[in-house]
Amino acid sequence: MVNVRRWLRHLFMPPWAWRRAFPRATLDAIEAAIRESETRHGGEIRFAIENSLPASWVWRGMTGRARAIEAFSFLRVWDTEHNSGVLVYLLLADHDIEIIADRGIAARVDAAAWEAVARAMETAFGQREFEHGVLDGIRQISSLLAAHFPPEKNDPDELPDRPVIVPRGYR
């Protein structure tokens, strides 16, 4: 069954809405936090924001989780030498955070740990503390990665650290 309220939220979400929660200074702070965190572990973190989904996708039942898995693929988070990529995906229209870990990490970190980080971020977002929520989430993810993927000498930065704004309907 289609959730009409959700469908309307996605249909009428303005394409610039992400800028209210994530102005340039916040995106800069997120990029710096990711860059700094990757010096403490062998993982790669990618942060993606998507305003909303095309209404037709919502009508057909696409969830934030399903879209995050797609984003994991088209952002090439899986394309790291040690399968150590982590995608933090925000679907703004649904206030939904999804964390997708590549198989090298998923084999070592329980899904409940990722879910706890995502729920903490959603709580902060609910209080309109977007920057704080993301930066705290990155710290928590970094701790999980450091415990299982210690840094290696000459470890290359395999994924961009800059948060990506996913255009509506991009595949």
Side-chain angles (χ1 to χ4, degrees):
M1 186 170 153
V2 174
N3 180 329
V4 175
R5 223 182 240 174
R6 178 176 184 247
W7 181 77
L8 289 170
R9 255 194 336 266
H10 284 265
L11 183 65
F12 292 111
M13 174 73 79
W16 45 263
W18 62 270
R19 289 187 180 143
R20 289 182 296 202
F22 296 95
R24 183 176 198 65
T26 298
L27 295 177
D28 292 344
I30 294 167
E31 180 179 16
I34 291 171
R35 184 177 309 110
E36 190 278 325
S37 82
E38 289 178 354
T39 65
R40 293 182 279 127
H41 55 74
E44 292 287 328
I45 300 172
R46 194 82 209 264
F47 183 74
I49 302 166
E50 190 160 22
N51 240 4
S52 61
L53 302 175
S56 63
W57 295 3
V58 175
W59 192 263
R60 289 191 298 260
M62 178 171 273
T63 64
R65 182 77 179 172
R67 182 60 174 162
I69 292 168
E70 281 187 358
F72 185 86
S73 177
F74 68 69
L75 293 172
R76 301 179 62 94
V77 179
W78 54 266
D79 197 14
T80 62
E81 182 178 352
H82 300 293
N83 300 313
S84 60
V86 175
L87 173 66
V88 180
Y89 172 84
L90 166 61
L91 182 53
L92 202 55
D94 288 346
H95 306 269
D96 184 20
I97 292 281
E98 297 290 341
I99 299 175
I100 309 293
D102 203 351
R103 62 188 175 274
I105 297 171
R108 299 178 189 184
V109 178
D110 187 78
W114 302 119
E115 188 65 23
V117 174
R119 297 302 71 88
M121 291 174 73
E122 286 175 355
T123 298
F125 290 1
Q127 298 167 352
R128 310 224 22 98
E129 296 178 2
F130 297 100
E131 184 173 339
H132 170 74
V134 173
L135 297 180
D136 191 46
I138 290 169
R139 279 189 288 278
Q140 291 177 48
I141 291 166
S142 292
S143 294
L144 290 168
L145 290 171
H148 300 284
F149 281 89
E152 296 178 2
K153 289 188 178 192
N154 302 321
D155 188 21
D157 191 5
E158 298 177 271
L159 297 174
D161 298 331
R162 185 76 180 169
V164 62
I165 309 304
V166 179
R168 178 186 250 172
Y170 182 80
R171 287 199 161 163

